[in-house]
């Protein structure tokens, strides 16, 4: 399973995410923490329920869009790649390519 490329139609916006050191961005739900966390970001969207904390996106993004966010008790992983600076994305699509579980969708 990969992130739903039509999440803007199939999900609904819930309370936004405003991470320390980053910028406020959309969260697409429904969410029901800690098990169901939805999708963070729109321009660079990460499906937190698919992310297994591989970390390739954090390592490879040339403009440092992602930060770790702790997600204790989530069944897939205890931290997620939060698109904290999605507005800095330059559309290189590396993150989409390297994510082993296809959790990222970039709309540049
Ligand atoms: Fe970074 Fe992915 Fe954009 S690697 S520059 S967030 S396409
Ligand atoms: Fe998660 Fe994929 Fe990045 S598993 S940490 S979104 S490479
Ligand atoms: Zn977030």
């Amino acid at each position: 399973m990969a992130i739903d490329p039509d999440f803007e139609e199939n999900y609904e916006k819930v309370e936004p995410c405003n991470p320390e050191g980053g910028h406020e961005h959309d969260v697409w739900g429904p969410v029901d923490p800690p098990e169901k966390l939805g999708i963070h970001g729109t321009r660079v969207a990460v499906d937190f329920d698919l992310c297994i904390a591989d970390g390739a996106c954090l390592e490879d993004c040339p403009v440092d869009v992602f930060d770790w966010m702790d997600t204790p008790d989530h069944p897939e992983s205890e931290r997620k790649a939060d698109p904290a600076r999605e507005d800095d994305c330059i559309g290189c699509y590396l993150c989409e390519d390297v994510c082993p579980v296809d959790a990222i969708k970039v709309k540049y």
Side-chain angles (χ1 to χ4, degrees), residues 46 51-58 68 81 98-101 103-104:
V46 179
C51 174
I52 55 169
D54 176 84
C57 58
L58 274 95
W68 287 121
V98 295
C99 179
V101 290
I104 305 177

Side-chain angles (χ1 to χ4, degrees), residues 21-33:
H23 308 143
E24 183 173 295
H25 52 268
D26 296 329
V27 177
W28 300 86
V31 300
D32 186 16

Side-chain angles (χ1 to χ4, degrees), residues 43 62 89-99 105-108:
R43 186 170 170 184
C89 173
I90 56 169
C92 75
Y93 293 92
L94 257 181
C95 55
E96 271 197 17
D97 289 344
V98 295
C99 179
K105 179 73 198 165
V106 176
K107 300 186 183 195
Y108 185 69

Side-chain angles (χ1 to χ4, degrees), residues 18-51:
N18 201 351
E20 203 175 319
H23 308 143
E24 183 173 295
H25 52 268
D26 296 329
V27 177
W28 300 86
V31 300
D32 186 16
E35 294 90 5
K36 184 143 180 43
L37 300 175
I39 292 173
H40 281 233
T42 298
R43 186 170 170 184
V44 180
V46 179
D47 190 328
F48 274 25
D49 295 310
L50 297 179
C51 174

